[in-house]
Amino acid sequence: MSGYGYTQGQPMPQGPYGNPGNAGYPPAQQGGYPPAQQGGYPPAQQGVAMGPGAPGAWQPSMGGEIPNDDTEAPVPQLPQFEGYLPTGFDQLQPTAPPPSLPPPSGEAPVMQFSGVGCLSEEECRHAMSNFVAEHCCYGKAPAKDMRIEDIKPSTALHLTLETFTESRNSTYKYEPFYGGMIDGPHNGRAPGPWEIPFNADSFFNNHTKKTRVPHTESVSMCHFCWGRGFTRCRHCFGKGHERCTFCHGSGHRTGANGEHEHCHSCGGDGRKRCTWCHGDGRVRCGTCQGYRQLKNYVQLVVSFTNHLSDFILEGSDMPETLVRDVSGVAIYEQDLPQVWPITSYPVQRINENSVRLIESHRVSFPNERILRQRHRLRGVPVTECAYNWKDKHMRFWVYGLEQKVHCPDYPQQCCCGCTIL
């Protein structure tokens, strides 16, 4: 294990575990890193730390006793910053966002609404033929020979409100400290969670951005390995060897002639050197990468979220949820920082639910800042067709600009020609 402060075959140096202060480690009360005069790095308030290659700087080390257990050291007390209220080691309480724009006032703008067309009998028959072709087991006879008796065109109204918001959360993060400059409070006041400018990549699309908050860095002893740079190997529990898997620890095996012979894998010892720690009993700490120190900082997480609510008004017996998955005709659309409710549409239920959706979104996201809203009303054509086939009276619906078909009781749903009774 040369290069890690320990050479195989030499007596194991004593470390801080049970013997603090030995093997080049400072006493525990010094915070897990050497005093400034030892060259590790100057005091934190000076904001400078030596790099790994500089004289006197800390290097990856595995010197010291193998710990008897895997208990972590107490978590260090991290510095606090205005606007970032800690609730635990790595958790910070989010602060309230600045107020959003007030809702629009005054007279509502003039609203123009477009209409939606209806389908002919030939278009309904063609849609049914396409529907049957998508189902390999459906018989084609009803779609081909049915007699359409009545067509009832209607328009399903789909009202949607999208509110695009921004929320900010923060948390403590840490990484191995390899040396270098420390951007701590000595460089100035840390900006608050809502003082750092951020722009969304695009409106009405969910995405997240992360950044390191300036002037929040600090250095502490690695609490995972107690500042040793290594941890006990969890495969051999620090013993450096494992039971031989070929002889199951007995040291011998039964040969072809039935006689006992030494295990060639372990040489008759019954044990083999641990392949994970190479017989040392220790492995490099995965948290600090052997450098024994961690750089702590505050990470700001900015989440852009699109909240969607809708209302569907559909007058036929077709399930109204089908309207969401098809396209329709745009009747009205408004895209503003905060939209106006629809108040002059001929269908009063649309006006009422427009007001309801906007009021609901206004109070539903107290910890998020509203950036933009989009209000849409679209019409989805729905045609109900009553048809007769072999003296059976049934119905199907054609809906959406894609002319999808809803026909739950199609009379021939098997290749053998079976019909629904």
Side-chain angles (χ1 to χ4, degrees), residues 118-167:
C118 58
L119 299 180
S120 64
E121 177 179 339
E122 187 62 30
E123 289 174 320
C124 295
R125 191 180 296 274
H126 180 70
M128 174 61 87
S129 298
N130 291 337
F131 169 74
V132 173
E134 294 174 356
H135 297 76
C136 60
C137 293
Y138 280 21
K140 298 180 180 179
K144 182 180 178 180
D145 301 332
M146 68 178 177
R147 185 176 72 255
I148 295 181
E149 298 177 334
D150 188 23
I151 295 178
K152 295 180 181 179
S154 62
T155 300
L157 298 175
H158 188 203
L159 180 68
T160 61
L161 175 63
E162 296 172 89
T163 299
F164 187 66
T165 65
E166 173 188 5
S167 63

Coordinates of all heavy atoms in Angstrom, one line a residue, residues 118-167:
C118 N -69.1 19.7 -38.3 CA -69.7 18.4 -38.0 C -69.3 17.5 -39.2 O -68.9 17.9 -40.2 CB -71.2 18.5 -37.8 SG -72.1 19.2 -39.2
L119 N -69.6 16.2 -39.0 CA -69.2 15.1 -39.9 C -70.4 14.7 -40.8 O -71.6 14.7 -40.3 CB -68.6 13.9 -39.2 CG -67.3 14.2 -38.4 CD1 -66.9 12.9 -37.8 CD2 -66.2 14.8 -39.2
S120 N -70.1 14.2 -42.0 CA -71.2 13.7 -42.8 C -71.3 12.2 -42.6 O -70.4 11.6 -41.9 CB -70.8 14.0 -44.3 OG -69.6 13.3 -44.7
E121 N -72.3 11.6 -43.2 CA -72.5 10.1 -43.0 C -71.3 9.4 -43.6 O -70.9 8.4 -43.1 CB -73.8 9.7 -43.7 CG -74.0 8.2 -43.6 CD -75.3 7.8 -44.3 OE1 -76.2 8.6 -44.4 OE2 -75.5 6.6 -44.6
E122 N -70.8 9.8 -44.8 CA -69.7 9.1 -45.4 C -68.4 9.2 -44.5 O -67.7 8.2 -44.4 CB -69.4 9.8 -46.8 CG -68.4 9.0 -47.6 CD -68.8 7.6 -47.9 OE1 -70.0 7.4 -48.0 OE2 -67.9 6.8 -48.1
E123 N -68.2 10.3 -43.9 CA -67.1 10.4 -43.0 C -67.2 9.5 -41.8 O -66.2 8.9 -41.3 CB -66.9 11.9 -42.6 CG -66.4 12.8 -43.7 CD -66.4 14.3 -43.3 OE1 -67.4 14.7 -42.5 OE2 -65.5 15.0 -43.6
C124 N -68.4 9.4 -41.3 CA -68.6 8.5 -40.1 C -68.4 7.0 -40.5 O -67.8 6.3 -39.8 CB -70.0 8.7 -39.6 SG -70.4 10.3 -38.9
R125 N -68.8 6.7 -41.7 CA -68.7 5.3 -42.2 C -67.2 5.0 -42.4 O -66.7 3.9 -42.1 CB -69.4 5.1 -43.5 CG -69.5 3.6 -43.9 CD -70.4 3.5 -45.2 NE -71.8 3.9 -45.0 CZ -72.7 3.1 -44.5 NH1 -72.4 1.9 -44.2 NH2 -73.9 3.5 -44.3
H126 N -66.5 6.0 -43.0 CA -65.0 5.8 -43.2 C -64.3 5.7 -41.9 O -63.3 4.9 -41.7 CB -64.5 7.0 -44.0 CG -63.0 6.9 -44.3 ND1 -62.5 6.0 -45.1 CD2 -62.0 7.6 -43.8 CE1 -61.2 6.2 -45.2 NE2 -60.9 7.2 -44.4
A127 N -64.7 6.5 -40.9 CA -64.0 6.4 -39.5 C -64.2 5.0 -38.9 O -63.3 4.4 -38.3 CB -64.6 7.5 -38.6
M128 N -65.5 4.4 -39.1 CA -65.7 3.1 -38.5 C -64.9 2.0 -39.2 O -64.4 1.1 -38.6 CB -67.2 2.8 -38.7 CG -67.6 1.4 -38.3 SD -67.2 1.0 -36.6 CE -68.7 1.5 -35.7
S129 N -64.7 2.2 -40.6 CA -63.9 1.2 -41.3 C -62.4 1.2 -40.8 O -61.8 0.2 -40.6 CB -63.9 1.5 -42.8 OG -65.3 1.4 -43.3
N130 N -61.9 2.4 -40.5 CA -60.6 2.5 -40.0 C -60.4 2.0 -38.6 O -59.4 1.3 -38.3 CB -60.1 4.0 -40.0 CG -59.9 4.6 -41.4 OD1 -59.7 3.8 -42.4 ND2 -60.0 5.9 -41.5
F131 N -61.5 2.2 -37.8 CA -61.5 1.6 -36.5 C -61.4 0.1 -36.5 O -60.7 -0.5 -35.7 CB -62.8 2.1 -35.7 CG -63.1 1.4 -34.4 CD1 -62.3 1.7 -33.3 CD2 -64.1 0.5 -34.3 CE1 -62.6 1.1 -32.1 CE2 -64.4 -0.2 -33.1 CZ -63.6 0.1 -32.0
V132 N -62.2 -0.5 -37.4 CA -62.2 -2.0 -37.5 C -60.9 -2.5 -38.0 O -60.4 -3.5 -37.5 CB -63.4 -2.5 -38.4 CG1 -63.3 -4.0 -38.6 CG2 -64.7 -2.1 -37.7
A133 N -60.3 -1.8 -38.9 CA -59.0 -2.2 -39.5 C -57.9 -2.2 -38.4 O -56.9 -3.0 -38.5 CB -58.6 -1.3 -40.6
E134 N -58.0 -1.4 -37.3 CA -57.0 -1.4 -36.3 C -57.2 -2.5 -35.3 O -56.3 -2.7 -34.5 CB -57.2 0.0 -35.5 CG -56.8 1.2 -36.3 CD -57.1 2.5 -35.6 OE1 -57.7 2.4 -34.4 OE2 -56.8 3.6 -36.1
H135 N -58.2 -3.3 -35.4 CA -58.5 -4.4 -34.5 C -58.5 -5.7 -35.4 O -59.5 -5.9 -36.1 CB -59.8 -4.3 -33.7 CG -59.8 -3.1 -32.8 ND1 -60.0 -1.8 -33.3 CD2 -59.7 -3.0 -31.5 CE1 -60.0 -1.0 -32.2 NE2 -59.8 -1.7 -31.1
C136 N -57.4 -6.5 -35.3 CA -57.3 -7.6 -36.2 C -58.4 -8.7 -36.0 O -58.7 -9.4 -37.0 CB -55.9 -8.2 -36.0 SG -55.6 -8.9 -34.4
C137 N -59.0 -8.7 -34.9 CA -60.0 -9.8 -34.6 C -61.4 -9.3 -35.0 O -62.4 -10.1 -34.9 CB -59.9 -10.2 -33.2 SG -58.4 -11.1 -32.7
Y138 N -61.6 -8.0 -35.3 CA -62.9 -7.6 -35.5 C -63.4 -8.0 -36.9 O -62.6 -7.9 -37.9 CB -63.0 -6.0 -35.4 CG -63.1 -5.5 -34.0 CD1 -62.7 -6.3 -32.9 CD2 -63.6 -4.3 -33.7 CE1 -62.8 -5.9 -31.6 CE2 -63.7 -3.8 -32.4 CZ -63.3 -4.6 -31.4 OH -63.4 -4.2 -30.1
G139 N -64.6 -8.4 -37.0 CA -65.2 -8.7 -38.4 C -65.5 -7.4 -39.1 O -66.0 -6.4 -38.5
K140 N -65.4 -7.5 -40.4 CA -65.6 -6.3 -41.2 C -67.1 -6.1 -41.7 O -67.5 -5.1 -42.2 CB -64.7 -6.3 -42.5 CG -63.2 -6.3 -42.1 CD -62.4 -6.3 -43.4 CE -60.9 -6.3 -43.1 NZ -60.1 -6.3 -44.3
A141 N -67.9 -7.2 -41.5 CA -69.2 -7.2 -42.1 C -70.1 -6.0 -41.5 O -70.8 -5.3 -42.2 CB -69.9 -8.5 -41.9
P142 N -70.1 -5.8 -40.1 CA -71.0 -4.8 -39.6 C -70.6 -3.4 -40.1 O -71.5 -2.6 -40.4 CB -70.8 -4.9 -38.1 CG -70.4 -6.3 -37.9 CD -69.5 -6.7 -39.0
A143 N -69.3 -3.1 -40.2 CA -68.9 -1.8 -40.7 C -69.2 -1.6 -42.2 O -69.5 -0.5 -42.6 CB -67.3 -1.6 -40.5
K144 N -69.2 -2.7 -42.9 CA -69.5 -2.6 -44.4 C -71.0 -2.6 -44.6 O -71.5 -1.8 -45.5 CB -68.9 -3.8 -45.1 CG -69.0 -3.8 -46.6 CD -68.3 -5.0 -47.2 CE -68.5 -5.0 -48.7 NZ -67.9 -6.2 -49.3
D145 N -71.8 -3.4 -43.9 CA -73.2 -3.5 -44.2 C -74.2 -2.8 -43.3 O -75.4 -2.9 -43.5 CB -73.6 -5.0 -44.2 CG -72.7 -5.8 -45.1 OD1 -72.3 -5.3 -46.2 OD2 -72.5 -7.0 -44.8
M146 N -73.6 -2.1 -42.3 CA -74.5 -1.4 -41.4 C -75.3 -0.3 -42.1 O -74.9 0.3 -43.1 CB -73.7 -0.8 -40.2 CG -72.8 0.4 -40.6 SD -71.9 1.1 -39.2 CE -70.9 2.3 -40.0
R147 N -76.5 0.0 -41.5 CA -77.3 1.1 -42.0 C -77.4 2.2 -41.0 O -77.9 2.0 -39.9 CB -78.7 0.5 -42.4 CG -79.6 1.6 -43.1 CD -81.0 1.0 -43.5 NE -81.8 0.8 -42.3 CZ -82.1 -0.4 -41.8 NH1 -81.5 -1.5 -42.3 NH2 -82.9 -0.6 -40.8
I148 N -76.8 3.3 -41.3 CA -76.8 4.5 -40.4 C -78.2 5.1 -40.4 O -78.7 5.5 -41.4 CB -75.7 5.5 -40.7 CG1 -74.3 4.8 -40.6 CG2 -75.8 6.7 -39.9 CD1 -73.2 5.7 -40.9
E149 N -78.8 5.2 -39.2 CA -80.2 5.7 -39.1 C -80.2 7.1 -38.7 O -81.1 7.9 -39.0 CB -81.0 4.8 -38.1 CG -81.1 3.3 -38.6 CD -81.8 2.5 -37.6 OE1 -81.8 2.8 -36.4 OE2 -82.4 1.5 -38.0
D150 N -79.2 7.5 -37.8 CA -79.3 8.9 -37.3 C -77.9 9.4 -37.0 O -77.0 8.6 -36.5 CB -80.2 8.9 -36.0 CG -80.4 10.4 -35.6 OD1 -80.4 11.3 -36.4 OD2 -80.7 10.5 -34.4
I151 N -77.7 10.7 -37.2 CA -76.4 11.3 -36.9 C -76.6 12.5 -36.1 O -77.4 13.4 -36.4 CB -75.6 11.7 -38.2 CG1 -75.2 10.4 -39.0 CG2 -74.4 12.5 -37.8 CD1 -74.5 10.7 -40.3
K152 N -76.0 12.6 -34.9 CA -76.2 13.7 -34.0 C -74.8 14.4 -33.8 O -74.0 13.9 -32.9 CB -76.8 13.3 -32.7 CG -78.2 12.7 -32.8 CD -78.7 12.3 -31.4 CE -80.1 11.7 -31.5 NZ -80.6 11.3 -30.1
P153 N -74.5 15.4 -34.5 CA -73.2 16.1 -34.3 C -73.3 17.0 -33.0 O -74.4 17.6 -32.7 CB -73.1 17.0 -35.5 CG -74.4 17.2 -36.0 CD -75.3 16.0 -35.6
S154 N -72.2 17.1 -32.3 CA -72.1 18.0 -31.1 C -70.6 18.4 -31.0 O -69.8 17.9 -31.7 CB -72.6 17.2 -29.9 OG -71.8 16.1 -29.6
T155 N -70.4 19.3 -30.0 CA -69.1 19.8 -29.8 C -68.8 19.6 -28.3 O -69.5 20.2 -27.4 CB -69.0 21.3 -30.2 OG1 -69.2 21.4 -31.6 CG2 -67.6 21.8 -29.9
A156 N -67.8 18.9 -28.0 CA -67.3 18.8 -26.6 C -66.4 20.0 -26.3 O -65.5 20.3 -27.1 CB -66.6 17.5 -26.3
L157 N -66.6 20.6 -25.2 CA -65.7 21.8 -24.9 C -64.7 21.4 -23.8 O -65.0 20.8 -22.8 CB -66.6 22.9 -24.4 CG -67.7 23.5 -25.3 CD1 -68.6 24.5 -24.7 CD2 -67.0 24.1 -26.6
H158 N -63.4 21.7 -24.2 CA -62.3 21.4 -23.2 C -61.7 22.7 -22.8 O -61.0 23.3 -23.6 CB -61.4 20.4 -23.9 CG -60.3 19.9 -23.0 ND1 -59.1 19.4 -23.5 CD2 -60.3 19.8 -21.7 CE1 -58.4 19.0 -22.5 NE2 -59.1 19.2 -21.3
L159 N -61.8 23.0 -21.6 CA -61.2 24.2 -21.0 C -60.0 23.9 -20.2 O -60.1 23.0 -19.3 CB -62.3 25.0 -20.1 CG -61.9 26.3 -19.5 CD1 -61.7 27.4 -20.5 CD2 -62.9 26.7 -18.4
T160 N -58.9 24.5 -20.5 CA -57.6 24.2 -19.7 C -57.0 25.5 -19.2 O -57.1 26.6 -19.8 CB -56.6 23.5 -20.6 OG1 -56.3 24.3 -21.7 CG2 -57.1 22.2 -21.1
L161 N -56.4 25.4 -18.0 CA -55.6 26.5 -17.5 C -54.2 26.0 -17.1 O -54.1 25.0 -16.3 CB -56.3 27.1 -16.3 CG -55.5 28.2 -15.5 CD1 -55.3 29.4 -16.4 CD2 -56.2 28.6 -14.2
E162 N -53.2 26.6 -17.6 CA -51.8 26.2 -17.3 C -51.2 27.4 -16.5 O -51.2 28.5 -17.0 CB -51.0 25.9 -18.5 CG -51.5 24.7 -19.3 CD -50.8 24.5 -20.6 OE1 -49.8 23.9 -20.7 OE2 -51.3 25.1 -21.6
T163 N -50.6 27.1 -15.4 CA -49.9 28.1 -14.6 C -48.4 27.6 -14.5 O -48.2 26.6 -13.8 CB -50.5 28.2 -13.2 OG1 -51.9 28.7 -13.4 CG2 -49.8 29.3 -12.4
F164 N -47.5 28.4 -15.0 CA -46.1 28.0 -15.0 C -45.5 28.8 -13.8 O -45.5 30.0 -13.8 CB -45.5 28.5 -16.3 CG -44.1 28.0 -16.5 CD1 -43.7 26.7 -16.6 CD2 -43.0 28.9 -16.6 CE1 -42.4 26.3 -16.7 CE2 -41.7 28.6 -16.7 CZ -41.4 27.2 -16.8
T165 N -44.9 28.0 -12.9 CA -44.4 28.6 -11.7 C -42.9 28.3 -11.5 O -42.3 27.4 -12.1 CB -45.2 28.1 -10.5 OG1 -44.9 26.7 -10.3 CG2 -46.6 28.4 -10.6
E166 N -42.3 29.0 -10.6 CA -40.9 28.8 -10.2 C -40.8 28.7 -8.7 O -41.4 29.5 -7.9 CB -40.1 30.0 -10.6 CG -38.6 30.0 -10.1 CD -37.9 31.3 -10.4 OE1 -38.5 32.2 -10.9 OE2 -36.7 31.4 -10.1
S167 N -40.1 27.6 -8.2 CA -39.9 27.4 -6.8 C -38.4 27.2 -6.6 O -37.7 26.7 -7.5 CB -40.7 26.2 -6.3 OG -40.3 25.0 -6.9

